[in-house]
Structures are given as C-alpha cells and as structure tokens.
Amino acid sequence: MPAVKIAPSVLASDLGNLNHECQRMMDCGADWLHMDIMDGHFVPNIVMGAPILQCVSKAVPKIFMDCHMMVSEPLKWIKDIAAAGGASYTFHIEATDDPLEVVRQIKAAGMRASVAINPGTPATEISDALAKAVDMILVMTVWPGAGGQKFIKECMPKVAELRARYPDLDVEVDGGVAPATISACADAGANVIVAGTAVFRDPKPDAVIQYLREQCEQAQARIREERERILRGDKVEGAGMVGTQTYLSGPAEAWVHPRAYIQPPASS
C-alpha cells in the first residue's frame, strides 16, 4: 500500500493570511496542502484560482499543492494550474465525458492526475483503464462546494472497494474528516487524508496531523496482513463477501473493509 499523506484543506484556513497558513501547516508536519478551486458552475461557490496558487507556490518553499478542481470544464484549467505550481490535479468524473483525455493532458502538463467521485457516484464508475491511468482516486465524503459539512459514512464502502481493487493506488478522502471519523476512513483503506477545520482550527494542529497519520498507518498494517492472508488461502472472516452476497446486503459494518471485496483463491 502507498504511504500515508496528510493534506490539510486550505479552505478552512484564514484565507486573509494564506501564505502564513500554508507554511504553518507544512511546519506542523503536513505532507500536502489541499487546494480547493471552485468555478461557480460545477459547484455554487467561487474559491481561489491559478493566480493565488502561484503566490503560494512562491512564498512556501517545497509545497505540494494537491489541487481539487471543482470545475465544469476540467480541461480548460490544466495549463494554468501547472504553470502556477500545482503538483496534483484532481478532476471530477461527473464533469467530463472523456476522463482518459483529461488524464492525458494533466500528465502532459507535468502534474499527477487524480479523479474524484461525488457521494452519489458509485465506485464502479472508475474503470480499470482509468484507475491504471491516474495516480489517485478521491472519494468525496461530503458534497463538494463548501467546507464544514458532516461526514457521510455511507461513502466508506466505496473507499473499501477501491482499496481492494487497487491496492497500490493512492485513495484520498475529503469532507468531514477529523479525529472522530478517521478510524472509518483508515479502516476502509484511505491513505491520503484531507482534513480542514479539524486541523486548522485546533490549537495543536501538529498533534492532530500526527494522530491522523498514526491511525492510517495502523489500519494499513491490518489491511495489508488481511490481504496477504486472504490471497494465500487463509480463512479471514468477511473476505470475499461481494462474491457471495448482494452488494451492501447484510450487516453494514461488513462492507466498510477491503476484505469484503477481495476474493479468496479458488479451492483446487
């Protein structure tokens, strides 16, 4: 499984002191900074853009800007975001009819490519071809467009399914993630954690970042061990449920772990 990365969401920062806030998070141990760009069309709000990213990039050395593009025309902004210092470009699958072309242009611009799915979009919308092309999949755990929303726990089966299908791919969660909800995200297999208010508004953001990281690392060890056991034929409770039960039938708890989607090898 890929390394854990904590990406505080800048939308929850003091935007009037943006450079300082970004540097503060880097000093507190953040791996990435999650930059929300909204166009007023795909979502109602308008937030940030390439000129602001460029200012941050110049002011905060070695920053990795994880750019979440909540825009209706993802192709339109690729070159501008790359020129402004964006390192990763996440577009919404709901905003394009040709996600592979969007990925191609993102990578041609020198950025990591990531695709996001909204709470109402099933994980099955991510084809194997698309997953192979991208560097990361973002599962929204709130509806995009505003910070401070309540975590949607019903999105966790999607995270678990994607982790089982793509064990070496970055899987990101964004929305309502905090110390109180991190265990659900971690147990489902998320390794890139976007947290806004929980980090920026805490008096000890470094401790919050460390806690989020530790929870994910501990869960990753469990998930890795379970996967290895399942694939070598050991009995693991709940393994392969997707092959024997109707999706999301039975106890809800069973479907929020990657083991439910990993098929044991066929008996000889």
Side-chain angles (χ1 to χ4, degrees):
M1 289 176 64
V4 174
K5 304 170 189 74
I6 309 300
S9 177
V10 170
L11 188 63
S13 71
D14 176 1
L15 293 175
N17 293 290
L18 186 56
N19 290 341
H20 168 76
E21 289 282 75
C22 289
Q23 185 63 64
R24 181 168 72 95
M25 289 300 107
M26 298 300 290
D27 292 343
C28 286
D31 301 287
W32 296 356
L33 267 296
H34 187 79
M35 318 297 283
D36 286 315
I37 294 89
M38 308 181 194
D39 66 354
H41 296 282
F42 185 74
V43 293
N45 288 337
I46 298 175
V47 179
M48 290 197 284
I52 293 176
L53 299 186
Q54 188 172 38
C55 292
V56 173
S57 181
K58 290 179 179 178
V60 185
K62 299 181 180 180
I63 188 174
F64 185 106
M65 289 192 290
D66 173 32
C67 301
H68 180 191
M69 306 300 295
M70 287 169 271
V71 299
S72 59
E73 297 180 70
L75 286 171
K76 181 177 180 180
W77 307 104
I78 292 172
K79 290 183 179 179
D80 288 347
I81 296 299
S88 179
Y89 188 105
T90 299
F91 68 97
H92 274 260
I93 198 168
E94 301 88 357
T96 180
D97 294 325
D98 192 352
L100 289 173
E101 176 59 18
V102 179
V103 172
R104 187 190 69 78
Q105 293 198 30
I106 293 169
K107 293 200 168 185
M111 294 183 289
R112 282 172 48 106
S114 171
V115 61
I117 55 175
N118 280 340
T121 302
T124 50
E125 286 296 303
I126 304 294
S127 66
D128 288 344
L130 180 56
K132 184 177 180 180
V134 298
D135 299 290
M136 182 170 73
I137 300 170
L138 165 57
V139 177
M140 292 299 297
T141 48
V142 298
W143 287 95
Q149 298 180 61
K150 185 179 178 181
F151 177 76
I152 303 174
K153 65 179 181 180
E154 289 79 8
C155 293
M156 291 302 97
K158 292 194 289 186
V159 176
E161 178 183 345
L162 291 167
R163 172 53 66 216
R165 288 169 61 190
Y166 311 115
D168 299 319
L169 194 64
D170 281 329
V171 177
E172 183 175 49
V173 287
D174 175 15
V177 181
T181 56
I182 186 59
S183 61
C185 300
D187 287 345
N191 73 293
V192 182
I193 306 300
V194 177
T197 303
V199 176
F200 276 100
R201 307 292 172 83
D202 194 276
K204 296 183 178 179
D206 53 342
V208 176
I209 289 172
Q210 182 61 24
Y211 180 77
L212 299 176
R213 189 185 308 281
E214 289 174 352
Q215 292 298 301
C216 287
E217 289 176 345
Q218 291 168 14
Q220 277 193 326
R222 294 193 298 271
I223 293 168
R224 188 182 303 111
E225 180 188 17
E226 284 186 347
R227 184 180 189 87
E228 291 172 354
R229 291 175 58 203
I230 292 168
L231 295 180
R232 69 172 178 252
D234 294 352
K235 182 174 178 56
V236 175
E237 185 177 357
M241 287 182 62
V242 73
T244 58
Q245 296 187 27
T246 303
Y247 186 63
L248 293 186
S249 67
E253 170 65 18
W255 297 96
V256 298
H257 297 283
R259 59 178 176 259
Y261 307 87
I262 302 174
Q263 294 299 322
S267 300
S268 56

